Amino acid sequence: MPNKLEISDLIIEKLSNASHIVVLTGAGISSESGVKTFRDPDGIWAKFNPQELASIDGFMSNPKLVWDWYQERRAIVDSVRPNTGHLALSELEKITPKLSLYTQNVDKLHQRAGSQNVQELHGNIVENKCFDCNKPHVENITNGELPKCKYCGGKIRPNVVWFGEMLPEKVLQNAERDASHCDFFITIGTSGEVYPAAGLPALAVRNGAYALEINANETSISKMHHSNIFAPSGLALPAIVELLKNKTR
Ligand code: BV8
Ligand code: ZN
């Protein structure tokens, strides 16, 4: 397999000896499936202000606009498929002793690619819940009017974490514990702008892990990684899995 992506032997050596790999993914890993990222020039937030839509205030002030925005995104997510990057991560989970995958993405593409140990730091847009009593809303959503909670009549919202909202406590605790105890941390397709998720790579490095960033571009957290592969994750991840498999053959 020509190593045209310049994946160093050191990365493959460390990966093949890693007892616990932690992966943090962001919107970039889904972009090759056709799901727009947030902050890229053609991203979904190019025309919307995130605070306006992905926040409690945004929903309170314009529930219909926010609800329709999520309906639009749900339709896109339903219409796309996991790409080679998602599939390679699912393969990596199979061929390594322990891999913990934490995603900021809300599209469920990792689960659809077959990854078993996926924890959602920012929830997902497949499930819905009541804005007021937090109970899950499992009824089918028909387009048009805003659905109402059958328990309390409250407004239904997607089960995502909005700006200003706490992340799911157990998931964040697991992420911080795993980042602090792993020996290899891979950051894939995230601009590293949104906290506390963006703080996980630094936590791993502080605790002695080897940190690799895979991103199509340089980011604000590139420099704090031991190595970077500036390439699309749909190309880099399958190449890494192939090199790992060749090594163990
Ligand atoms: C919190 C879910 C405690 C919904 C999202 C003021 C008030 C309140 C909070 C704050 C505040 N100031 C700061 C904060 C903290 C805030 C924050 O970090 N703000 C930032 C913007 C400064 N964080 C929060 O509010 C979090 N909660 O802190 O609670 C608290 C509570 C009250 C008060 C204070 C603190 C909640 C954060 C979660 C927000 N929800 N989304 C939805 O999706 O609609 S965030 C949103 O950004 C997405 O979840 C996304 O996952 C996340 C990160 O974006 P990325 O995934 O990185 O995507 P992005 O487009 O940015 O980058 C894509 C990358 O991919 C690029 O680098 C690109 O180069 C790369 N790429 C592109 N193609 C490819 C590729 N790479 C590889 N291959 C390719 N092919
Ligand atoms: Zn309710």
Side-chain angles (χ1 to χ4, degrees), residues 54-188:
S55 70
I56 298 174
D57 295 347
F59 185 67
M60 296 284 277
S61 51
N62 200 331
K64 187 81 178 72
L65 171 74
V66 174
W67 179 259
D68 289 348
W69 180 55
Y70 279 99
Q71 287 296 83
E72 192 187 309
R73 287 174 61 192
R74 266 190 259 263
I76 292 166
V77 164
D78 288 348
S79 69
V80 300
R81 288 155 24 129
N83 63 58
T84 50
H86 296 107
L87 296 167
L89 273 187
S90 161
E91 183 66 11
L92 188 62
E93 184 182 50
K94 292 191 185 87
I95 63 172
T96 53
K98 184 179 177 188
L99 186 147
S100 309
L101 172 51
Y102 291 93
T103 187
Q104 300 171 89
N105 298 340
V106 294
D107 56 30
K108 291 265 183 199
L109 287 175
H110 285 303
Q111 294 92 328
R112 287 172 53 193
S115 286
Q116 298 301 307
N117 180 3
V118 184
Q119 298 189 57
E120 295 170 331
L121 291 159
H122 295 163
N124 67 74
I125 54 173
V126 173
E127 295 151 4
N128 292 299
K129 65 183 181 181
C130 174
F131 183 76
D132 298 324
C133 71
N134 233 15
K135 284 202 178 81
H137 179 82
V138 293
E139 283 67 22
N140 275 336
I141 300 289
T142 50
N143 274 328
E145 276 320 295
L146 266 180
K148 290 276 182 288
C149 172
K150 66 183 180 190
Y151 302 102
C152 74
K155 291 188 185 70
I156 298 303
R157 55 165 287 180
N159 188 23
V160 295
V161 177
W162 278 330
F163 283 104
E165 289 189 314
M166 304 300 278
L167 276 58
E169 199 177 339
K170 193 76 192 101
V171 174
L172 185 57
Q173 271 170 5
N174 291 346
E176 287 168 346
R177 178 206 58 217
D178 288 345
S180 312
H181 294 92
C182 67
D183 34 20
F184 201 106
F185 194 99
I186 316 176
T187 306
I188 306 170

Side-chain angles (χ1 to χ4, degrees), residues 161-229:
V161 177
W162 278 330
F163 283 104
E165 289 189 314
M166 304 300 278
L167 276 58
E169 199 177 339
K170 193 76 192 101
V171 174
L172 185 57
Q173 271 170 5
N174 291 346
E176 287 168 346
R177 178 206 58 217
D178 288 345
S180 312
H181 294 92
C182 67
D183 34 20
F184 201 106
F185 194 99
I186 316 176
T187 306
I188 306 170
T190 182
S191 58
E193 304 271 327
V194 176
Y195 285 83
L200 292 169
L203 180 63
V205 168
R206 271 203 308 279
N207 286 277
Y210 186 88
L212 164 66
E213 179 193 50
I214 298 172
N215 197 305
N217 309 294
E218 183 156 3
T219 68
S220 53
I221 54 172
S222 292
K223 292 219 177 354
M224 51 76 48
H225 286 79
H226 294 102
S227 55
N228 311 85
I229 298 173

